[in-house]
Amino acid sequence: MLKVGVLGAGHLGKIHLRLLQQSDKYELVGFYDENQENAEKISKEFGYKNFSTIAKLIHAVDVIDIVTPTLSHYKCAKVAIKSGKHIFIEKPIANTVEEAEEIIALAKEYNVKGQVGHVERFNPAFIATKNMIENPMFIETHRLAEFNPRGTDVPVVLDLMIHDIDAILSVVNSKVKDIHASGVSVISDTPDIANARIEFENGCVANLTASRISLKNMRKSRFFQKDAYISVDFLEKKCEVVRMKDAPEVPGDFDMILQNAEGVKKQIYFTNPDVEQNNAILDELESFAHAINTDTTPVVTLEQATDALRVAYQIIDCFNK
């Protein structure tokens, strides 16, 4: 079992603490939160050991789980890496691309592993369909959330859309060619609604929409490729695959047949792949333990998270123009 400590005991930090304590891959040593009043309250309520300084916690563990505000990710990661500790960082990896690149360089220099909490990679609906997504040429995503003041200190692109940016980059095997985007600030100083169009060198186009002032929550992605359409509902954890194959010469009474202008007939098949329910946060944390113990590449690398952050800032730059 790897000894782990958590930095930050806010809303998400408390979830990480609970799951790490349940895990049989980790031994939860304790946590540090700069709000000592909050830390003492959590320690008293749940029994987790509260460390008085970051240095003392880092010294006592093998792995540091960074669940602090984004502004402090770089500072926390730097201290942990220089102490030779593996790091799990909540998304986004850092506040700037430059900070993220330095985290990568430090991790290589000190020979430690790092993983970033792009949790939708572990969503069971995405896992169930990922191997079916082959060379998509058009992607559409909608990530809509009801208003929550907790996330408004960062643009909606870094808060919500970055989940979809990372998922798209993980399935499109091509470099980004061009980005167009627009954003609207409604109740925050930064955009609350954003739309982005990402064009890839291979011709794939992704159209992303994110909002944090919607009347209902929605997290859906649709992938269109040759002879197939794949729909992933990240919120309901459901998926649907619609495939087209050459129609049989004698179709059945209930077969769905399409015929194009050239007379080519295709039969449509609907399937709902089995979705194995899981706890995505626990799975991502335990996958990192597996990567450390087996000396393999983490599922979401520091480099991949930096690529997602780079695209996110290119989208934000479009707003500023």
Side-chain angles (χ1 to χ4, degrees), residues 202-258:
N202 69 350
C204 176
V205 172
N207 192 19
L208 297 82
T209 301
S211 167
R212 58 183 173 206
I213 51 164
S214 295
L215 294 176
K216 63 174 184 176
N217 294 321
M218 179 194 286
R219 305 205 303 263
K220 283 186 179 177
S221 293
R222 301 172 182 89
F223 302 86
F224 297 85
Q225 60 198 39
K226 179 71 175 168
D227 291 336
Y229 156 72
I230 297 158
S231 171
V232 180
D233 189 327
F234 289 93
L235 187 63
E236 298 293 335
K237 298 179 174 57
K238 293 176 183 173
C239 51
E240 183 178 49
V241 178
V242 182
R243 291 194 185 279
M244 287 196 293
K245 296 178 183 175
D246 291 335
E249 285 190 22
V250 184
D253 291 341
F254 299 103
D255 290 349
M256 287 190 68
I257 308 294
L258 285 180

Side-chain angles (χ1 to χ4, degrees), residues 104-307:
I104 292 169
L106 283 167
K108 285 177 180 170
E109 183 184 343
Y110 287 87
N111 195 30
V112 300
K113 291 193 183 295
Q115 182 167 320
V116 180
H118 283 286
V119 71
E120 292 291 38
R121 295 269 207 109
F122 294 84
N123 188 297
F126 187 59
I127 290 169
T129 53
K130 192 174 179 190
N131 290 338
M132 301 175 195
I133 302 171
E134 299 168 355
N135 197 30
M137 295 312 290
F138 182 71
I139 301 168
E140 190 163 39
T141 73
H142 287 87
R143 187 166 293 261
L144 315 177
E146 294 173 4
F147 181 68
N148 181 349
R150 196 166 52 82
T152 55
D153 55 332
V154 293
V156 71
V157 176
L158 294 177
D159 185 26
L160 298 179
M161 191 184 281
I162 197 162
H163 283 294
D164 298 311
I165 294 169
D166 172 71
I168 288 167
L169 293 180
S170 77
V171 297
V172 178
N173 190 23
S174 180
K175 290 182 178 176
V176 173
K177 178 183 170 187
D178 202 8
I179 293 175
H180 302 275
S182 58
V184 179
S185 301
V186 180
I187 51 177
S188 313
D189 294 332
T190 58
D192 298 299
I193 304 173
N195 176 262
R197 176 187 168 92
I198 305 172
E199 296 174 18
F200 293 87
E201 288 180 358
N202 69 350
C204 176
V205 172
N207 192 19
L208 297 82
T209 301
S211 167
R212 58 183 173 206
I213 51 164
S214 295
L215 294 176
K216 63 174 184 176
N217 294 321
M218 179 194 286
R219 305 205 303 263
K220 283 186 179 177
S221 293
R222 301 172 182 89
F223 302 86
F224 297 85
Q225 60 198 39
K226 179 71 175 168
D227 291 336
Y229 156 72
I230 297 158
S231 171
V232 180
D233 189 327
F234 289 93
L235 187 63
E236 298 293 335
K237 298 179 174 57
K238 293 176 183 173
C239 51
E240 183 178 49
V241 178
V242 182
R243 291 194 185 279
M244 287 196 293
K245 296 178 183 175
D246 291 335
E249 285 190 22
V250 184
D253 291 341
F254 299 103
D255 290 349
M256 287 190 68
I257 308 294
L258 285 180
Q259 182 174 331
N260 66 14
E262 287 75 36
V264 177
K265 293 181 179 179
K266 296 276 188 179
Q267 182 174 354
I268 298 176
Y269 299 83
F270 292 87
T271 56
N272 295 94
D274 290 335
V275 176
E276 293 184 19
Q277 297 304 318
N278 68 344
N279 185 310
I281 297 175
L282 179 61
D283 279 7
E284 68 177 354
L285 290 165
E286 292 196 338
S287 81
F288 186 46
H290 177 76
I292 294 166
N293 288 328
T294 58
D295 193 22
T296 50
T297 304
V299 175
V300 184
T301 65
L302 301 175
E303 288 83 359
Q304 289 169 341
T306 302
D307 289 341

Side-chain angles (χ1 to χ4, degrees), residues 10-182:
H11 172 74
L12 193 54
K14 283 193 281 190
I15 294 171
H16 279 227
L17 283 164
R18 175 172 55 80
L19 293 173
L20 287 166
Q21 192 171 50
Q22 291 173 10
S23 173
D24 59 5
K25 302 279 191 296
Y26 291 101
E27 177 194 335
L28 177 63
V29 172
F31 74 101
Y32 170 81
D33 190 283
E34 66 177 10
N35 181 338
Q36 278 299 302
E37 191 179 327
N38 178 53
E40 284 167 18
K41 184 182 167 190
I42 290 167
S43 180
K44 203 171 184 181
E45 190 175 345
F46 300 104
Y48 312 129
K49 185 176 179 184
N50 167 29
F51 282 74
S52 58
T53 67
I54 290 179
K56 285 178 182 174
L57 176 63
I58 288 173
H59 182 70
V61 300
D62 308 307
V63 182
I64 284 289
D65 179 13
I66 300 167
V67 204
T68 59
T70 306
L71 283 170
S72 63
H73 283 187
Y74 168 70
K75 181 182 74 177
C76 295
K78 190 175 175 181
V79 174
I81 292 168
K82 286 189 170 184
S83 300
K85 310 299 178 179
H86 303 293
I87 54 161
F88 184 97
I89 314 179
E90 252 316 310
K91 64 86 201 165
I93 177 173
N95 190 46
T96 67
V97 173
E98 292 74 24
E99 287 180 353
E101 286 173 340
E102 192 166 336
I103 290 171
I104 292 169
L106 283 167
K108 285 177 180 170
E109 183 184 343
Y110 287 87
N111 195 30
V112 300
K113 291 193 183 295
Q115 182 167 320
V116 180
H118 283 286
V119 71
E120 292 291 38
R121 295 269 207 109
F122 294 84
N123 188 297
F126 187 59
I127 290 169
T129 53
K130 192 174 179 190
N131 290 338
M132 301 175 195
I133 302 171
E134 299 168 355
N135 197 30
M137 295 312 290
F138 182 71
I139 301 168
E140 190 163 39
T141 73
H142 287 87
R143 187 166 293 261
L144 315 177
E146 294 173 4
F147 181 68
N148 181 349
R150 196 166 52 82
T152 55
D153 55 332
V154 293
V156 71
V157 176
L158 294 177
D159 185 26
L160 298 179
M161 191 184 281
I162 197 162
H163 283 294
D164 298 311
I165 294 169
D166 172 71
I168 288 167
L169 293 180
S170 77
V171 297
V172 178
N173 190 23
S174 180
K175 290 182 178 176
V176 173
K177 178 183 170 187
D178 202 8
I179 293 175
H180 302 275
S182 58

